[in-house]
Amino acid sequence: MKPRTLYDKLWDAHVVHVEPDGTALLYIDRHLVHEVTSPQAFDGLRLAGRQPWRTTSVLAVPDHNVPTTDRDRGIADPVSRLQVETLDANCKEFRLTEFRMDDPRQGIVHVIGPEQGFTQPGMTLVCGDSHTSTHGAFGALAFGIGTSEVEHVLATQCLWQKKSKTMLVKVEGELGRGVTAKDIVLAIIGRIGTAGGTGYAIEFGGSAIRALSMEGRMTVCNMAIEAGARAGMVAVDEKTVAYLRGRPGAPVGAMWDQAADYWRTMVTDPGAQFDAVVELDAAAIMPQVTWGTSPEMVVPVSGRVPDPAEAPSAVKQGDWERALQYMGLAAHTPINEIGVDKVFIGSCTNSRIEDLREAAAVAQWGLQHGRKVAANVRLAMVVPGSGLVKAQAEAEGLDRVFREAGFEWRDPGCSMCLAMNADRLEPGERCASTSNRNFEGRQGQGGRTHLVSPAMAAAAAMFGHFVDVRSLS
Amino acid sequence: MKPFTQHTGLVAPLDRANVDTDAIIPKQFLKSIKRAGFGPNAFDEWRYLDRGEPGQDCSTRPLNPDFVLNQPRYQGASILLARENFGCGSSREHAPWALEDFGFRAIIAPSFADIFYNNCFKNGLLPIVLPAETVDRLFRETAAAEGYRLAVDLAAQTVTTPAGESFAFQVDAERKHRLMNGLDDIGITLTHVDTIRAYEDRRRRETPWLFQ
C-alpha cells in the first residue's frame, strides 16, 4: 500500500460517498457546540422537523458570553443571557449533553473536549468555531465550520468536503529556555503568513513538536487557522495515549486496548509525500510578540517595530501603515519599550494548566524579586480554560501566587479573547494577550492587542512593558 | 437558498489584504439568535464613527466618510472587490450573512480564507478567485470609472468588464451545481441515508469505542 500521511488516513477512514468532482461526504464522529454559532442551526432543524442524527456525538457548552466574575448572579447583559438560555433550551429540547454555566466542568469548548476525553485520535471532530483545529493535537481531523454546516452535521452526521492539500511543518531541535509552544506557532505564522496554510491541512512534526506536552501541541494546532489552515494535527505517540487514559470519555478495559492500538496507527507512514514542507530550527526561535493587526505581523521580543517602507509589496506596505496607525506605534520602536495597559492570560490557545503554571512561575519570580503587577497596568487577569483547570490550579496554589502578585483570578470562559462578555479593552488600550488574534477591535473596539506566550504576558504585567522572559533569572 | 446564475452589478473596492471576519461583522452582533438583519452592521467599526451595539437604529448613526462603502459613488454596490485572504479568522457565518444582507451577491479577490469561502456557497453569495494581477487591474478600472460594473456568469464561469473583456474563474463542479440551482445541502445528503447507515454500521463494528 502506498505510504499515507496522517491526514490521508483520517480522510480515507471517514469517506462515506464521493461525487464525480471529488467532493466527498465525510462522516463526523464528534460535534462540539457553543452558544454563538448554534441557535440558527437549531432553528433550521425545527423548521424542517428534523432531529439530531446521533445525540451522543454532541457535547455543548456556553463559553463565549459567560461572565468571569460573580457568576452566581447570572449574565447581566440581556442579549448575552438570551443566547446562553437559547443553548440551554435547545440542548434540552434535542436531548443533547450540555455543561451549563454553573457546571464545574464548564469551560472553553476547546479545553473541555480534550479534558473530558471527548476528543480522541483517529476521529473527525467539528465545531462552529475556527479554533477547532486545536483538537488535531490528538491525531484527529478537527476543523471549524459555519452555522449551516453545524445544522448539516446535526441532521446528517456528515459534511460535504473537498480534500485539502497537505503541508508538513517540521520543527527540529531543542527550544531555548523560556521559549514555548506559543512562540513556535507564532514563528511559523511569521514565516508562512496568515494565508500560508490556506487550502492545506498542516501536520506539525519534528523533534521540537514531539517534545511538547499535549497542552503545548494543542496551542500549536489551535493557531493553525491563524496560518490559514482549517486543520492542524500532530501524530499520535505515547504522550497522546497517556493523556487520554482515565478520562471520562475514554474507553475502558479491552476496548481501551483495542482503541489504543488503533490510535497508534494515526501517524504519517515513512515515505509519505506532502504537497509542501516547511522547516524551522527550534533553537533559533525566540519569544515572539506581535506588533500589528494580523498574527503574521510578529517579531522576536529583541526586535523592533518594522518600517512599512521595507514591506515586501505595495499592498503589504499599506497594511503595515494602517496597522501601525491603529496600534499607535512608530516604526523602529524596540519591542521591549512598548508599555501595556492590560494583560490577559487565557483563551483556547493558552488557558490550560501548563500555561497557568508557566505564567505563575513568572509571577512567583516577581514576588521573589519584590515585583508585583506594575502600577501602569490597569488590569491583569487570569482566566482558566475550564472549571477543572481552575480547580487544579487552585489545588496547586497558583491562584494564590497570581492574587498576591496583583492578578485577578477569574471564572472560565473565552473572556477577553474576543470580548463578547464584559471583559474588554477600551479604545486605545494596549494589551499583552495570550489569545490568538490581534485583529482590529478583536478585544474591544479600538483595543490594541499584542499576542504573546503566557510567560511573556506575565512578565509584561510585572514590568508594565514587554520584556524578554529569558532575562529573568 | 437563493440560486446564483448571472449577476451584473456596481463594483465597490475594499483595498486591504487579510480582511477578517471580526472586521466584517464585529462580535457584539453575534449575540443575535437570528439569521437575518446583519447588513446594517457589516464592517461596523470601519463604517460608523460611534461604537456599535446590538439593537441600535443604524440609520441615525454618524458615518465614517472615509470608508469606501460610504462614498456616494459606491451606493448600491453588489460586487465587492477585495484583496488576498479575504474572510480570514473566525468561522462565523454571520460574515456572509452580513455581506449578503448588505446587498452583495459576489466577491472577487485573489484568495479567500477556506471557512469563509465555504460559508459563502451556503448563502447564495459567490466568492470568485481571480489572479492578483487581474484583481489589481479591476481595482484600477473601478477607481478610474465611476459606475464601473462587472457581469458575473456562473454557468460560463466568467467575469466580464464593461469593455467586454472576460476573465475565467474556477469553481468546483458540485458547488457550482448546487449554487446555480439553489439546492439545500441537507436535502441532498439525506438522499444518501442508506449509505451513511451502512458506513456507520461498519464503523460501529471496527471502532466500537467511537459509538459509546
Side-chain angles (χ1 to χ4, degrees):
Chain A
M1 197 174 187
K2 194 172 160 240
R4 292 185 297 165
T5 64
L6 169 57
Y7 175 73
D8 293 332
K9 292 181 184 180
L10 288 162
W11 177 270
D12 293 348
H14 290 89
V15 171
V16 172
H17 166 85
V18 188
E19 293 289 336
D21 77 338
T23 303
L25 192 61
L26 213 60
Y27 189 81
I28 303 301
D29 294 312
R30 291 283 195 266
H31 188 185
L32 287 158
V33 170
H34 66 71
E35 79 276 22
V36 180
T37 54
S38 66
Q40 300 86 353
F42 286 114
D43 272 348
L45 287 187
R46 264 189 295 272
L47 271 171
R50 291 175 178 137
Q51 288 293 318
W53 181 278
R54 187 156 72 79
T55 54
T56 54
S57 71
V58 180
L59 176 61
V61 69
D63 55 5
H64 285 59
N65 283 276
V66 299
T68 57
T69 53
D70 303 316
R71 193 165 282 184
D72 49 345
R73 282 191 235 155
I75 304 175
D77 175 1
V79 192
S80 283
R81 188 168 65 234
L82 176 63
Q83 195 162 58
V84 170
E85 287 170 354
T86 301
L87 180 68
D88 294 347
N90 282 326
C91 289
K92 189 165 178 228
E93 177 183 343
F94 291 106
R95 307 174 321 283
L96 304 174
T97 304
E98 181 197 6
F99 296 168
R100 290 193 178 198
M101 196 170 84
D102 56 0
D103 190 304
R105 300 165 296 176
Q106 180 270 343
I108 305 173
V109 70
H110 307 308
V111 174
I112 69 166
E115 189 172 75
Q116 293 296 321
F118 184 79
T119 306
Q120 295 169 13
M123 284 180 163
T124 46
L125 181 151
V126 296
C127 175
D129 194 287
S130 60
H131 291 111
T132 307
S133 57
T134 310
H135 308 265
F138 289 82
L141 177 57
F143 53 93
I145 58 177
T147 299
S148 293
E149 292 184 313
V150 170
E151 181 182 342
H152 194 282
V153 177
L154 284 169
T156 69
Q157 210 61 42
C158 293
L159 274 180
W160 293 99
Q161 292 289 306
K162 276 300 269 273
K163 198 172 177 189
S164 303
K165 292 178 287 182
T166 54
M167 180 187 289
L168 173 65
V169 175
K170 213 166 152 188
V171 190
E172 293 288 1
E174 223 174 296
L175 286 178
R177 190 179 59 87
V179 183
T180 67
K182 182 64 162 287
D183 302 304
I184 294 181
V185 72
L186 285 172
I188 291 168
I189 296 163
R191 165 83 76 84
I192 70 174
T194 48
T198 302
Y200 290 94
I202 297 181
E203 179 175 341
F204 298 98
S207 57
I209 300 294
R210 285 196 299 276
L212 292 175
S213 65
M214 291 311 295
E215 284 84 354
R217 295 176 188 180
M218 283 188 252
T219 299
V220 172
C221 289
N222 172 274
M223 288 189 73
I225 185 67
E226 261 54 69
R230 284 180 88 174
M233 61 198 73
V234 174
V236 170
D237 63 9
E238 289 312 307
K239 274 185 205 172
T240 323
V241 178
Y243 179 98
L244 284 159
R245 191 183 288 277
R247 304 254 163 203
V252 293
M255 213 185 273
W256 164 267
D257 296 330
Q258 190 188 354
D261 286 347
Y262 179 74
W263 294 344
R264 291 185 179 103
T265 67
M266 291 295 124
V267 298
T268 290
D269 295 330
Q273 293 296 307
F274 289 86
D275 297 303
V277 178
V278 175
E279 294 185 46
L280 275 84
D281 173 12
I285 299 174
M286 291 188 265
Q288 305 281 307
V289 182
T290 65
W291 54 267
T293 53
S294 164
E296 71 182 18
M297 297 175 176
V298 64
V299 289
V301 62
S302 56
R304 291 169 181 266
V305 175
D307 189 335
E310 292 159 19
S313 70
V315 173
K316 284 247 189 280
Q317 184 177 345
D319 290 341
W320 287 17
E321 281 165 1
R322 257 192 304 271
L324 289 191
Q325 189 182 10
Y326 181 85
M327 294 297 288
L329 290 173
H332 307 295
T333 305
I335 295 294
N336 58 20
E337 286 178 15
I338 300 173
V340 299
D341 305 303
K342 285 184 175 167
V343 174
F344 172 61
I345 297 171
S347 87
C348 57
T349 313
N350 280 132
S351 65
R352 299 177 183 84
I353 188 67
E354 180 179 278
D355 303 313
L356 303 190
R357 286 177 192 146
E358 283 171 7
V362 172
Q364 183 73 52
W365 178 93
L367 290 171
Q368 283 162 357
H369 291 77
R371 277 187 184 275
K372 293 194 174 189
V373 169
N376 63 303
V377 175
R378 288 173 208 140
L379 172 70
M381 61 194 296
V382 184
V383 183
S386 72
L388 297 181
V389 168
K390 188 179 188 203
Q392 170 76 23
E394 289 176 352
E396 296 180 16
L398 305 184
D399 60 317
R400 289 197 301 279
V401 175
F402 284 126
R403 283 199 170 106
E404 199 187 332
F407 289 85
E408 292 195 12
W409 178 247
R410 299 288 188 93
D411 288 325
C414 301
S415 181
M416 209 163 69
C417 173
L418 87 168
M420 274 190 81
N421 69 353
D423 310 332
R424 69 185 66 163
L425 298 182
E426 295 303 318
E429 278 188 333
R430 190 180 297 288
C431 182
S433 179
T434 67
S435 53
N436 39 58
R437 291 190 173 133
N438 50 352
F439 299 159
E440 283 184 25
R442 171 78 177 181
Q443 294 192 290
Q445 191 167 357
R448 295 161 172 168
T449 303
H450 295 269
L451 303 175
V452 288
S453 72
M456 284 287 290
M462 311 301 279
F463 285 83
H465 57 84
F466 291 107
V467 294
D468 188 338
V469 71
R470 296 172 303 175
S471 68
L472 315 184
S473 57
Chain B
M1 184 177 69
K2 196 158 44 168
F4 188 112
T5 49
Q6 293 177 319
H7 176 77
T8 301
L10 184 68
V11 181
L14 187 57
D15 194 3
R16 49 199 291 172
N18 298 318
V19 171
D20 58 75
T21 55
D22 275 84
I24 297 170
I25 183 80
K27 85 283 276 160
Q28 61 269 38
F29 306 107
L30 311 191
K31 297 179 186 184
S32 167
I33 56 171
K34 299 195 172 67
R35 204 175 180 122
F38 293 98
N41 298 110
F43 302 109
D44 198 273
E45 290 182 11
W46 294 343
R47 190 167 157 197
Y48 302 100
L49 294 170
D50 62 344
R51 188 193 284 235
E53 291 299 339
Q56 277 168 320
D57 174 6
C58 290
S59 66
T60 61
R61 294 176 61 196
L63 292 172
N64 173 7
D66 295 334
F67 182 54
V68 67
L69 296 183
N70 287 336
Q71 293 173 16
R73 63 182 287 189
Y74 298 121
Q75 297 314 298
S78 57
I79 296 175
L80 186 64
L81 189 59
R83 295 291 186 184
E84 65 254 28
N85 202 26
F86 187 84
C88 61
S90 151
S91 67
R92 58 189 69 169
E93 197 164 318
H94 311 68
W97 294 342
L99 293 170
E100 198 269 341
D101 197 46
F102 183 92
F104 289 116
R105 297 297 323 276
I107 308 168
I108 300 172
S111 60
F112 291 90
D114 289 341
I115 303 179
F116 176 83
Y117 183 82
N118 195 43
N119 282 341
C120 284
F121 283 95
K122 317 290 183 193
N123 293 284
L125 188 61
L126 178 63
I128 299 169
V129 177
L130 289 177
E133 312 80 70
T134 309
V135 171
D136 249 346
R137 219 180 99 190
L138 295 178
F139 266 99
R140 286 196 299 276
E141 291 186 6
T142 304
E146 193 163 336
Y148 187 81
R149 292 160 76 83
L150 288 171
V152 177
D153 186 333
L154 180 53
Q157 295 180 214
T158 55
V159 174
T160 305
T161 68
E165 192 176 357
S166 279
F167 302 104
F169 63 88
Q170 295 299 314
V171 58
D172 289 339
E174 192 59 33
R175 280 193 163 122
K176 174 179 172 179
H177 167 71
R178 291 180 191 186
L179 186 53
M180 285 192 67
N181 295 290
L183 299 178
D184 163 36
D185 273 355
I186 297 179
I188 296 171
T189 306
L190 290 175
T191 64
H192 298 284
V193 162
D194 294 341
T195 318
I196 302 171
R197 293 264 181 236
Y199 170 91
E200 219 171 28
D201 289 345
R202 177 168 65 77
R203 286 285 281 178
R204 211 183 284 273
R205 286 192 305 275
E206 291 171 358
T207 56
W209 62 90
L210 290 176
F211 295 86
Q212 281 186 317

